Amino acid sequence: MASKKEGKSKKFLLEIPEEIWNKWKDTVPRSISLNKALIELLKKEGDDNEK
């Protein structure tokens, strides 16, 4: 979750099939929170779409 210093954040509930969620979450190192990993994934997708 973004801190107040980073600006506004959007909160929403995701509904993801368990099999897809588990496959993705198992790729995230334990040293990184799932929230942070998801934010990084969304940033990357956004950057890729700008090209």
Side-chain angles (χ1 to χ4, degrees), residues 34-50:
L34 292 178
N35 189 67
K36 184 174 181 178
L38 185 54
I39 290 169
E40 291 301 316
L41 179 64
L42 293 171
K43 282 181 185 177
K44 182 184 179 305
E45 286 296 315
D47 290 345
D48 288 350
N49 288 331
E50 288 180 353

Side-chain angles (χ1 to χ4, degrees), residues 4 6 8 15 20-21 24 29 32-33 35 42 47-48:
K4 291 181 181 180
E6 294 179 36
K8 295 181 181 181
E15 194 168 313
I20 293 171
W21 175 256
W24 174 76
I32 301 172
S33 73
N35 189 67
L42 293 171
D47 290 345
D48 288 350

